Amino acid sequence: MVKVDLITGFLGSGKTTFIRKYAKYLMDNGKNIGILENDYGAVNVDMMLLQDLMGENCELEMISGGCDKDCHRRRFKTKLIAMGMCGYDRVIVEPSGIFDIDEFFDILHEEPLNRWYEIGNVIAIVDSRLEKNLSEQADFILASEVADAGCIVMSKCQEASTEEIQETLDHINRALENVHCARKFALREDILKSTASEEACMESSKQTVEKTGKVFHKNWEEMSKEDFEQVASCGFEMTSYRKPEYEAEEAFTSLYFMNVKMTEKELREAAEKILSDPVCGHVFRMKGFIMQTEENSQKWLELNATKNEITIRPIAAGQEVLIVIGEGLQEDAIKKYLQI
């Protein structure tokens, strides 16, 4: 059977960046893999960022958003059926940052997928400096993404203090508690320090470690083969939690802006203002591409922006589109900053 790994994570957590490293680890170990990109909107920016992985041992597929849940579910199942015939050793599914995890488990238990696939790992990517002021809907999405995870891999640890990492874990645990989920996450060494001070506590300590979700907090550039081996064998947990009566995903919207003409400096300034100005709504992430013309040459720039970090870098190919994702977005206010 083909193993399927689900890489979850809230908007802007760094899922695509992690997948690049995780996919390379799998391919270096001789695995033939397929990556299924499942973006929130109709334009799949993240898939474009993975194009250079394509080759003899890696293929990319995508599901576009912009449809209702039933339609999306059918597309997801149809794509997995097609991928099941390709001879992969491993399939990696990257959903959007706003995704009902139950859809993943439900579909993989349907015929014929239950005969072709087995769930390998659920890996949750969490920004070490998680935004503190999340709405009730956003906190539910966060909790649902980590509730069944075999492990949490924290991103941008080198940029976060120990206190910020602990605050993020506390936030995750509060979100889990709010949805009546019994799981908790803690740094392993903290558990050992708090429970293993005396020999009589050692067995209790062992049980506590086993019941507490694994957390990897390390600069991704320094992750070793052994680190990836642990992540690649973390598995998943089937837990229960209470869903809200409303559809949490419906609180989020995305806006698409095509053919935006700005300089790199103007784009950075616009992103800073859109992410910080409450008049624009609660913006979680901006991403996309712009074309820069310099004398007789042209080059693509990729934008990846959250409140904590704005990155603009050259990229080989792109599509002239900027995407803004968040809650209560105000299109007119955002357009003013983008000079549209």
Side-chain angles (χ1 to χ4, degrees):
M1 298 178 77
V2 181
K3 284 193 174 183
V4 185
D5 292 342
L6 179 69
I7 313 295
T8 72
F10 196 61
L11 294 163
S13 59
K15 295 188 300 299
T16 305
T17 302
F18 177 78
I19 284 175
R20 293 180 62 84
K21 298 181 178 298
Y22 186 58
K24 185 177 186 304
Y25 160 77
L26 293 172
M27 288 189 286
D28 286 347
N29 282 273
K31 301 297 184 184
N32 182 29
I33 65 173
I35 301 175
L36 179 54
E37 283 288 324
N38 177 14
D39 213 347
Y40 182 56
V43 179
N44 200 316
V45 168
D46 293 338
M47 183 171 176
M48 300 184 73
L49 302 179
L50 297 173
Q51 290 293 320
D52 62 325
L53 289 176
M54 290 184 66
E56 184 177 345
N57 298 112
C58 180
E59 294 184 7
L60 303 180
E61 299 287 348
M62 67 173 282
I63 306 169
S64 293
C67 59
D68 60 52
K69 291 188 71 172
D70 289 339
C71 175
H72 183 272
R73 185 187 180 96
R74 289 194 300 272
R75 291 180 181 178
F76 190 18
K77 183 175 181 179
T78 300
K79 187 64 71 172
L80 283 173
I81 289 173
M83 294 180 74
M85 303 175 185
C86 295
Y88 298 123
D89 299 306
R90 185 84 62 119
V91 168
I92 300 171
V93 176
E94 180 186 6
S96 75
I98 305 163
F99 179 71
D100 185 347
I101 305 301
D102 284 347
E103 180 179 321
F104 173 76
F105 289 106
D106 290 347
I107 287 178
L108 285 169
H109 284 97
E110 293 180 3
E111 288 279 353
L113 299 180
N114 60 348
R115 292 185 281 110
W116 299 351
Y117 291 102
E118 62 176 329
I119 300 172
N121 306 295
V122 176
I123 303 166
I125 310 302
V126 177
D127 191 324
S128 295
R129 295 185 294 167
L130 180 69
E131 185 174 342
K132 296 180 177 63
N133 300 316
L134 295 181
S135 67
E136 180 181 346
Q137 292 90 340
D139 261 350
F140 170 76
I141 295 294
L142 172 67
S144 70
E145 289 174 338
V146 302
D148 297 318
C151 71
I152 284 177
V153 179
M154 304 192 80
S155 63
K156 308 162 192 170
C157 292
Q158 68 276 15
E159 301 168 9
S161 66
T162 303
E163 291 75 18
E164 287 174 318
I165 292 173
Q166 187 58 57
E167 286 173 0
T168 293
L169 290 175
D170 291 343
H171 188 152
I172 290 169
N173 289 331
R174 285 195 304 273
L176 288 166
E177 185 177 349
N178 289 339
V179 296
H180 302 273
C181 180
R183 291 202 78 191
K184 298 290 181 185
F185 286 89
L187 304 179
R188 183 184 179 98
E189 55 266 33
D190 290 344
I191 305 169
L192 292 170
K193 287 177 184 176
S194 64
T195 61
S197 56
E198 298 180 10
E199 186 175 343
C201 295
M202 288 302 292
E203 185 60 30
S204 171
S205 170
K206 180 180 177 183
Q207 293 174 358
T208 304
V209 171
E210 290 172 349
K211 292 179 181 178
T212 304
K214 302 181 185 72
V215 178
F216 290 86
H217 57 106
K218 189 174 184 179
N219 183 344
W220 290 356
E221 298 302 323
E222 299 173 358
M223 285 184 70
S224 65
K225 180 179 178 181
E226 290 71 26
D227 292 327
F228 279 107
E229 284 175 354
Q230 291 185 56
V231 172
S233 60
C234 70
F236 62 97
E237 298 286 337
M238 292 301 296
T239 58
S240 61
Y241 55 90
R242 183 179 297 175
K243 286 195 169 187
E245 296 180 0
Y246 54 83
E247 292 286 348
E249 296 88 347
E250 293 180 0
F252 299 86
T253 55
S254 57
L255 298 175
Y256 295 80
F257 302 97
M258 311 298 291
N259 302 312
V260 175
K261 305 296 183 185
M262 306 182 83
T263 65
E264 180 176 347
K265 179 182 178 183
E266 289 170 339
L267 179 61
R268 182 177 295 276
E269 291 175 349
E272 289 174 350
K273 292 173 181 176
I274 290 168
L275 285 159
S276 62
D277 188 349
V279 174
C280 294
H282 192 169
V283 178
F284 287 105
R285 190 180 183 195
M286 292 180 64
K287 59 182 179 178
F289 312 94
I290 62 169
M291 173 68 80
Q292 291 282 277
T293 302
E294 297 179 354
E295 296 180 353
N296 296 323
S297 64
Q298 292 182 322
K299 67 176 182 179
W300 287 103
L301 294 178
E302 175 217 343
L303 169 70
N304 190 1
T306 65
K307 283 184 169 62
N308 286 334
E309 182 180 28
I310 297 174
T311 301
I312 301 175
R313 66 183 183 93
I315 192 168
Q319 179 180 350
E320 284 193 303
V321 59
L322 294 176
I323 304 174
V324 180
I325 307 173
E327 296 173 294
L329 299 183
Q330 301 300 312
E331 185 171 2
D332 289 342
I334 293 170
K335 279 183 173 180
K336 287 181 181 178
Y337 286 126
L338 294 178
Q339 304 174 19
I340 299 175

